[in-house]
Amino acid sequence: VMVRTAFTIGDVHTTLNYGLNRVRFPAPVPVGSRLRGHFKLMAFEPISGGAQVIVEVTTEREGHSKPVCVAEALIRGYT
């Protein structure tokens, strides 16, 4: 299993997975499939004590053109 950091938010001591706006599962994922995630920054918003970012996460299955999951994740970082 290979895991890489997609992005970092500078000057943040605590990060919080705040939830999801939208989630779609357009295709199934069989056991043992190799997956790859693509991350796209959609918004950055200053909030009290930190910032909130909205990231579009698209998860693909190796060998298939259709994504298996597309989600809009909300992440908050606090200083």
Side-chain angles (χ1 to χ4, degrees):
V1 174
M2 181 185 298
V3 177
R4 295 183 186 163
T5 301
F7 61 89
T8 58
I9 303 171
D11 298 328
V12 169
H13 297 124
T14 303
T15 55
L16 174 69
N17 176 0
Y18 198 65
L20 301 169
N21 279 340
R22 284 181 253 158
V23 182
R24 294 185 301 116
F25 298 98
V29 180
V31 172
S33 296
R34 288 174 45 104
L35 303 175
R36 173 179 39 212
H38 295 275
F39 302 85
K40 180 179 176 183
L41 179 63
M42 303 299 287
F44 176 92
E45 177 184 345
I47 59 171
S48 178
Q52 175 174 284
V53 295
I54 299 175
V55 179
E56 181 183 80
V57 182
T58 303
T59 306
E60 299 175 339
R61 184 174 138 209
E62 186 176 64
H64 291 73
S65 60
K66 192 173 190 177
V68 296
C69 181
V70 180
E72 203 172 88
L74 280 71
I75 302 164
R76 287 192 169 187
Y78 296 96
T79 55

